[in-house]
Structures are given as C-alpha cells and as structure tokens.
Amino acid sequence: MGLVWAEETAACAASALDQLESAVSAASPVATPGSGLSWVRRRWPRLTDTVNLPPLDVDKQQVPSLVNPPSTYQVDLRALTCSCRQFHGSGIQALPGKKERLCRHLRQAYAERGNVSPLLRTVLLDEVHFNAADPWWLGEVEGVPTAIGWREGDPWVCVYTQSGGWRRGQAMFLRYSFHLDRAQWLEGHQPRQNAKAIRHLLSEWFHDPSLRG
Ligand SMILES: [Zn+2]
C-alpha cells in the first residue's frame, strides 16, 4: 500500500509541476499556435462521458467531514443530495446520474453502498485526482476494465486499470499517468497487461500517431 501511495503522490506532484509549467508558458507571448504546445495544438477528443451514477434505493446516512472529522453531512443516495456547501454550490445544478452531481461525501457513500465495480470504486475514492468536471471514459481495453480521464489543455492523461496484483482475492487497480506531448508513461510506470492497447486508443482519440510508441 505504501508503494501505491508513493507512486500516486509522485504522479500527482509531476502533474502539478507540469500544470504550473503550462500556466507559466501559457502566460508567455511565445505560446503561439503551432508552437507544439499541448494546449494550443492538440485536438481534444469529443467523447461521451460514460460514467453513470443513478440514484440508489438506500436509507439516508451521515458521512464524516474529511476536513473536520467531528462534523458530519447528511447524504441521501435516493435523491442524490448532501447537506454540504459543495453540493449546494455546484452539485445541485447537475442532473442525477451525472458525476458532476456528486460531492466528495456522495462519492464516498456511493462507492461504499452502490453496486459499483472495483474500477469505478477506485476512481470515485481517489480524492486527490478525481475532478467531476473532467470527461471520463469507462470500458475495457484488451478485456481489462479501464478508466481514462483527461482535461483539455492538460498534457497528462489519467488511466486506471488492473495492476496485475491481487488484494484479498480481488484484482487491484492502480492509477497511471500518460503524457501526451512526451508520449511517455510517468517514470516508465505503465500498466502490465494493456499499456500498448491503451496507447493505441489514445492515439485514435487524440488524432496523434506518435502516441502509439
Ligand atoms: Zn457533500
């Protein structure tokens, strides 16, 4: 578990650094179209978000605050509502079924009580990387459940798929980061079973043959 956390932290730090780099360059006058930079050059995919989180027929529950553990929020998975500020500020505007509707408390409750796949549970519980506004694709690549998320302008694509390892009799899912401009996995850390097929998929989505490697 320590190793997994270390890898995820490294990916996060690298992504944050890159975003900073991107922000600095974007503000600079040299970032003109044709400069080869991801956020001006790339054609971003127009795929339908395949994450669907319909209401669940379960009782209301209290979910502890992550920031202030003694306090709790009331989560209703039937109506897909939460008493927190995040939900009333933004989630409430999204239709039930859309992931944008779920605040962190709804995501946590949903991951625990909904009949969700281990893959979707991993994605929903990733408090560090999950962003409801990012498009997410869930499916199978070479028969292996895989989730891919991206953000327009951000060269890092987020991939969750089976690591090849097992925990308590269940296949483990890990997060991997792929850089579109460098056409590389972060620190060479790539999925064991379907890395090549994922690169082919990204190559099609992003109209970029160089991503095949
Ligand atoms: Zn909430």
Side-chain angles (χ1 to χ4, degrees):
M1 196 56 202
L3 180 64
V4 172
W5 177 247
E7 284 163 354
E8 290 187 348
T9 306
C12 176
S15 181
L17 200 64
D18 260 39
Q19 281 167 17
L20 183 64
E21 199 179 286
S22 298
V24 169
S25 303
S28 132
V30 298
T32 52
S35 64
L37 299 172
S38 191
W39 62 94
V40 291
R41 170 173 60 80
R42 200 165 287 287
R43 284 170 62 195
W44 298 89
R46 294 279 174 260
L47 296 173
T48 308
D49 194 317
T50 55
V51 179
N52 183 35
L53 302 161
L56 301 175
D57 191 17
V58 295
D59 293 337
K60 291 176 186 172
Q61 68 184 94
Q62 297 292 320
V63 173
S65 160
L66 290 177
V67 184
N68 186 19
S71 57
T72 60
Y73 297 103
Q74 178 160 285
V75 163
D76 182 348
L77 289 170
R78 274 199 191 101
L80 292 173
T81 59
C82 177
S83 58
C84 80
R85 199 180 294 177
Q86 187 194 350
F87 175 78
H88 287 279
S90 58
I92 196 169
Q93 290 159 28
L95 291 172
K98 296 275 187 192
K99 66 183 185 322
E100 289 85 343
R101 177 130 180 136
L102 272 53
C103 63
R104 55 169 56 145
H105 317 107
L106 276 163
R107 284 209 315 277
Q108 189 184 330
Y110 206 101
E112 286 166 3
R113 303 188 70 186
N115 187 23
V116 297
S117 67
L119 169 66
L120 185 53
R121 187 173 302 122
T122 307
V123 173
L124 291 175
L125 290 177
D126 188 344
E127 188 57 39
V128 177
H129 302 101
F130 186 88
N131 185 328
D134 293 348
W136 277 93
W137 176 89
L138 261 70
E140 289 194 351
V141 179
E142 296 223 310
V144 182
T146 302
I148 302 176
W150 67 96
R151 187 176 307 167
E152 196 161 323
D154 186 344
W156 286 105
V157 172
C158 187
V159 176
Y160 294 84
T161 192
Q162 283 180 15
S163 65
W166 294 77
R167 186 192 294 157
R168 293 188 208 115
Q170 285 207 319
M172 274 177 59
F173 286 86
L174 282 185
R175 178 182 186 276
Y176 302 87
S177 300
F178 186 81
H179 197 286
L180 295 170
D181 292 345
R182 297 175 200 152
Q184 281 178 351
W185 297 98
L186 178 66
E187 295 170 351
H189 177 58
Q190 64 180 49
R192 275 193 222 166
Q193 300 172 70
N194 54 359
K196 198 173 173 63
I198 290 171
R199 292 184 63 144
H200 271 259
L201 194 62
L202 294 177
S203 156
E204 282 174 25
W205 286 0
F206 290 89
H207 312 281
D208 187 346
S210 71
L211 301 184
R212 282 182 209 147

